[in-house]
Amino acid sequence: MTVKNIGILCSGGDSPGMNCAIRAVVRTAISRGIQVTGIKRGYAGLLRGEFMQMNLSSVGNIIQRGGTILQTSRSPEFQKAEFRKKAVDILRAQHVDALIVIGGDGSFNGAMALWKEHQFPVVGIPGTIDNDISNTEYTIGFNTAVQTAIEAVDRIRDTAHSHARTFLVEVMGRNSSAIALKVGVCTGAENILLPHDKVNHQKLVDDINRGIARGKESSIIVVAEGPVAGRSYDIQHVLKDMYHLDAHVAILGHIQRGGSPVADDRFIASQMGNMAVEALLAGNVPSVTVVQKGKVLMTDLANCTTKADHNYIEYSGLAETLSI
Ligand code: ATP
């Protein structure tokens, strides 16, 4: 397999640090004499032939920027084999001989299908704030999203304390507990509700009242959004109607996706982008960059095509103990 021109795209939800990965791919490839073709708006842009030639300066001054200069999308069409065939035809016509996909497990399934159906060489880089991909301890964007949420909860704590209030703070995580758990531990939350937890309202009320009895002036309950965002309002209503307890709601929403990537995201994304290019040049496909035991390394792409909700789950006991 000779690689002369690498295509790169972002797919699924954006996450802070994707730009660092794009930059690392482009700079590594060019330093090895390889061309890079940027593909705009994910698989949807690929199917429309939205290409841009990348050079050293096209990735200048982006390392600190959130989002992705290539933009991203979700493409229902790409789930169909006929459109994946079309995508490979477009790539080959453009003389792109390998593809790097930055995204989540869904995006990796799309990449895997390109390999299985057309032997098109692919490498994945995990980019999602949810940190919910199997066989990797880390996904680009997670720590930035967590840091953003921590700063928001700290501010909410200030006002909650001043007025002796209870707040339900909803963070992102449809299926993933990782953001809620890390934010909960780092902000000293009195309670953390994970995406699929059945809410025990009585326990929430008992915990809040126990805190008040020992002199606490505020309570923060971190709520993972779960399958339907806005879940905190349902909890708020039950607390009010059944327990006469007033709680305020703050939904952090998309601010968690934006902003300048923190050091970990920049550092890991830079390593992953570099390693992804080296893997392609070594013929190590289909593969994916992962973090295992704290180290960035390569594994088979097939290991990372499912969701995992184990990251940080071991810290739920810690959160509970420290919030006593
Ligand atoms: P995030 O974690 O941010 O949601 P993701 O990569 O998991 O990221 P998805 O919406 O699941 O996000 O997938 C992104 C795109 O990948 C889809 O819009 C679709 O184009 C493609 N894709 C997802 N699953 C498959 C599949 N099984 N086969 C082919 N393509 C797929």
Side-chain angles (χ1 to χ4, degrees):
M1 179 179 103
T2 312
V3 176
K4 291 193 180 140
N5 184 353
I6 298 173
I8 180 168
L9 60 79
C10 296
S11 168
D14 64 314
S15 66
M18 281 181 162
N19 281 329
C20 309
I22 295 168
R23 172 180 176 272
V25 165
V26 171
R27 296 263 164 104
T28 304
I30 290 175
S31 76
R32 304 282 253 111
I34 313 290
Q35 259 183 277
V36 181
T37 300
I39 301 163
K40 299 212 73 175
R41 286 176 272 276
Y43 294 127
L46 167 54
L47 287 168
R48 289 194 292 265
E50 293 185 40
F51 295 113
M52 59 191 272
Q53 211 50 51
M54 307 296 282
N55 55 41
L56 293 176
S57 57
S58 58
V59 292
N61 198 21
I62 67 167
I63 198 165
Q64 76 281 22
R65 284 171 56 190
T68 155
I69 58 162
L70 292 177
Q71 300 183 273
T72 183
S73 70
R74 301 189 199 268
S75 165
E77 283 184 335
F78 202 77
Q79 308 253 10
K80 298 183 190 143
E82 67 203 87
F83 286 97
R84 293 194 293 270
K85 159 92 175 60
K86 183 179 166 196
V88 169
D89 289 344
I90 292 171
L91 286 168
R92 288 187 174 139
Q94 194 74 20
H95 306 292
V96 173
D97 15 66
L99 184 65
I100 293 179
V101 172
I102 309 175
D105 57 293
S107 304
F108 292 168
N109 274 288
M112 196 64 185
L114 292 182
W115 170 256
K116 280 192 178 154
E117 292 162 2
H118 305 282
Q119 291 72 56
F120 198 85
V122 288
V123 171
I125 297 179
T128 160
I129 63 166
D130 286 332
N131 200 359
D132 62 348
I133 300 180
S134 51
N135 291 301
T136 182
E137 289 154 20
Y138 198 75
T139 61
I140 297 168
F142 174 67
N143 271 346
T144 304
V146 166
Q147 189 60 37
T148 301
I150 288 173
E151 285 165 20
V153 175
D154 287 349
R155 285 163 198 254
I156 290 166
R157 179 72 86 173
D158 288 345
T159 174
H161 183 83
S162 302
H163 288 270
R165 280 177 175 157
T166 294
F167 266 85
L168 297 155
V169 183
E170 189 166 305
V171 299
M172 279 193 168
R174 290 222 160 125
N175 295 295
S176 168
S177 307
I179 293 179
L181 279 167
K182 190 160 183 182
V183 170
V185 170
C186 293
T187 57
E190 277 65 27
N191 265 286
I192 303 170
L193 299 177
L194 303 183
H196 300 291
D197 279 353
K198 192 171 174 325
V199 181
N200 184 339
H201 299 91
Q202 182 66 60
K203 180 176 181 311
L204 283 184
V205 172
D206 290 347
D207 287 350
I208 292 165
N209 286 336
R210 202 181 57 243
I212 291 170
R214 78 148 175 82
K216 274 195 186 183
E217 295 286 357
S218 62
S219 283
I220 300 284
I221 303 166
V222 172
V223 182
E225 66 181 348
V228 184
R231 179 188 184 208
S232 302
Y233 287 112
D234 299 336
I235 301 169
Q236 180 191 40
H237 290 143
V238 177
L239 293 179
K240 174 79 177 156
D241 295 346
M242 292 184 60
Y243 300 93
H244 311 293
L245 190 146
D246 281 318
H248 292 254
V249 170
I251 297 183
L252 302 189
H254 283 79
I255 64 160
Q256 294 161 97
R257 276 193 195 272
S260 186
V262 297
D264 276 352
D265 282 319
R266 297 183 193 202
F267 194 52
I268 290 172
S270 298
Q271 292 176 71
M272 285 182 166
N274 171 264
M275 216 175 262
V277 173
E278 296 297 345
L280 274 178
L281 297 185
N284 179 10
V285 292
S287 60
V288 53
T289 59
V290 290
V291 175
Q292 288 176 357
K293 296 187 180 154
K295 286 260 173 237
V296 178
L297 42 89
M298 302 302 303
T299 188
D300 287 353
L301 185 57
N303 292 332
C304 293
T305 50
T306 52
K307 279 203 190 306
D309 190 22
H310 54 267
N311 287 341
Y312 284 84
I313 210 85
E314 73 260 38
Y315 299 111
S316 46
L318 174 68
E320 188 147 0
T321 304
L322 299 188
S323 66
I324 194 167

